């Protein structure tokens, strides 16, 4: 019995001709059997080189045909290419091929299309069998500890999606990571297929479907704001390179944390340009804090408040927009069905509270380090991922840090928090919203910081210059600073300055403008102004 293997480049006309000849021989000769292998044109040369090295053959073109001798204890006998196979068919079986060149090309194109379809089907089958590879950076930080139970519960990726967790951190954190692994295994989570530790940089993000970037755990001290900004570049450059090199081509990267979130996101995009659309920054932490403070004022549940929009720098100078905010199931003289809502601003009659106390409360949370505590950070990341995979609630506005393409007059090339919705596995900026224009001064104040951060990180700007409007300069406006550490030992000062520049509440700024000692693991100095 003759057993032949015919292998070739999927779009090769000579492979197509040899294939039809082999099919004819197999159909008409009971002792002739053929096994066919096609390879994508992009991988053919590498595959052929490995095959020839393994079998000590010398062959450089498509197709390649060999005879299997396994039944005789041998590995295989090389026959050659198309010409050798044609000679074999004529000599031993008296059969030849009269296929035209045009027909060879048509069949070769069909072979390539069929091969690509099979590859896609195989990839889909693997996705059903193989677990979702989830990588978490800086996995020794507390936010990771709180995130793992949510990810393994099935709430984020679905109740039928198994996951494999990969905890990535430096070598010094290995003992801590092993403790996290042991506790995670004790959960006996049905959807957790495996959990592993990675401390080798070159192995990071291999076959990753999801990458979660947390704040880097470091005790390194920097003595200037500019130094703090520049210190983000090396790690983001490394992560961007490794993600593009090692991760799955459809990987989703989500950046969280409490320091320079927008900056880290835009740097990752710069060094992983092919994945830029799949890299986002989490803004739901700020949104959650804003809703919680409103809910306490209105004496309702934070989850009943929807459509609070966070504009700008997630961990810095941002604008909390309540113009679209609504409250559902609110106890008042007016009641309605579950889908009935009322504008938040129409229910808060105390404008003084909105313009001063509301801002001061959020500022205090930021100053004491409570704005992005581990539980909130983990929940914000998990909720964003859940929306990304399964869609956000219909009709609901979600805040997300994405790369600006000029929407809403935002300069291109910076990561900016703006209103979006999630659907069909992606996000869409809600550019069709009405009555959400932002004054030029507020927009300039937010974008100025983000542009300067990016330029300083890339070495195109030497020093950071805090934005000052003409009104600020005319009034001799004095900036307010808040402590840079969690222990809040320095004196705090709350500015009573109010600008009547825009009829919309309220702007919250958090930016380390002070030249005092800044510790990477602490909070930043805060500048805040309330816009009436």
């Amino acid at each position: 019995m003759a057993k032949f293997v015919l292998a070739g480049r999927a779009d090769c006309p000579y492979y197509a001709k040899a294939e039809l000849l082999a099919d004819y021989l197999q159909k008409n000769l009971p002792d002739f059997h053929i096994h066919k292998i096609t390879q994508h044109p992009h991988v053919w040369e590498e595959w052929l080189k490995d095959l020839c090295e393994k079998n000590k053959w010398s062959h450089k073109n498509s197709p390649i045909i060999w005879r299997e001798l396994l039944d005789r204890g041998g590995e295989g006998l090389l026959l050659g290419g198309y010409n050798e196979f044609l000679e074999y068919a004529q000599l031993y079986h008296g059969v030849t091929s009269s296929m035209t060149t045009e027909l060879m090309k048509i069949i070769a194109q069909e072979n390539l299309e069929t091969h690509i379809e099979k590859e896609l089907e195989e990839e889909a089958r693997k996705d059903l069998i193989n677990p979702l590879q989830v990588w978490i950076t800086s996995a020794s930080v507390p936010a990771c500890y709180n995130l793992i139970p949510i990810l393994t519960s099935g709430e984020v990726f679905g109740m039928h999606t198994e996951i494999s967790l990969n905890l990535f951190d430096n070598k010094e954190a290995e003992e801590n990571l092993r403790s996290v692994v042991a506790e995670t295994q004790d959960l006996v989570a049905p959807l957790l297929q495996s959990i592993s530790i990675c401390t080798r940089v070159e192995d990071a993000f291999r076959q990753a479907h999801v990458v979660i970037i947390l704040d880097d755990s470091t005790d390194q001290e920097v003595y200037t704001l500019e130094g703090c900004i520049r210190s983000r570049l090396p790690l983001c450059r490394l992560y961007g390179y490794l993600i593009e090199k090692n991760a799955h081509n459809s990987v989703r990267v989500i950046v969280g944390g409490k320091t320079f979130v927008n900056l880290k996101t835009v740097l990752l995009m710069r060094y992983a340009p092919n994945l830029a659309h799949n890299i986002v920054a989490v803004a739901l932490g700020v949104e959650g804090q804003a809703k919680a403070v409103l809910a306490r004022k209105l004496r309702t549940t934070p989850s009943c408040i929807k459509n609070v929009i966070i504009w700008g720098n997630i961990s810095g100078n941002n604008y909390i927009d309540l113009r679209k905010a609504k409250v559902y199931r609110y106890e008042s003289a007016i009641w309605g069905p579950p889908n009935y809502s009322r504008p938040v601003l129409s229910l808060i009659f105390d404008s003084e509270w909105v313009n001063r106390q509301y801002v001061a409360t959020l500022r205090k949370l930021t100053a004491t380090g409570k704005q992005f505590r581990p539980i909130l950070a983990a929940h914000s990341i998990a909720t964003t991922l859940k929306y990304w995979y399964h869609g956000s609630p219909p009709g609901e506005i979600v805040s997300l840090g994405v790369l600006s393409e000029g929407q809403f007059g935002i300069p291109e090339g910076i990561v900016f928090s703006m209103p979006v919705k999630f659907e069909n596995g992606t996000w869409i900026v809600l550019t069709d919203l009405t009555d959400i224009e932002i004054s030029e001064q507020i927009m300039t104040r937010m974008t100025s910081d983000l542009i300067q951060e990016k330029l300083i990180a890339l070495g195109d700007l030497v020093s950071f210059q805090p934005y000052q409007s003409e009104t600020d300069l005319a009034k001799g406006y004095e900036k307010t600073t808040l402590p840079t550490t969690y222990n809040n030992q320095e004196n705090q000062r709350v500015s009573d300055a109010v600008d009547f520049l825009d009829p919309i509440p309220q702007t919250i700024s958090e930016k380390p403008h002070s030249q005092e000692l800044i510790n990477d693991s602490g909070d930043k100095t805060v500048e805040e102004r309330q816009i009436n």
Side-chain angles (χ1 to χ4, degrees), residues 505-518:
Q506 50 269 338
T507 298
I508 300 176
S509 306
E510 176 194 343
K511 185 60 56 182
H513 293 157
S514 171
Q515 297 300 310
E516 300 171 348
L517 173 66
I518 301 175

Side-chain angles (χ1 to χ4, degrees), residues 321-392:
D321 191 346
L322 303 183
R323 287 172 291 178
K324 296 294 182 182
K326 298 178 180 180
V327 59
Y328 293 79
R329 303 193 299 276
Y330 185 66
E331 295 185 9
S332 66
I334 301 175
W335 283 82
N339 61 348
Y340 174 74
S341 65
R342 300 177 66 185
V344 166
L345 291 178
S346 69
L347 299 175
I348 301 178
F349 304 103
D350 187 356
S351 60
E352 184 73 11
W353 181 89
V354 173
N355 292 330
R356 297 184 186 274
Q357 189 175 341
Y358 182 51
V359 174
T361 302
L362 292 174
R363 176 168 46 207
K364 184 177 179 180
L365 291 172
T366 302
T368 56
K370 294 180 180 178
Q371 186 179 18
F372 294 107
R373 284 284 180 87
I375 293 178
L376 176 60
H379 183 266
S380 302
I381 291 170
T383 303
T384 305
L385 277 173
K386 177 183 177 180
Y387 290 168
W388 204 346
Y389 273 85
H390 303 292
S392 52

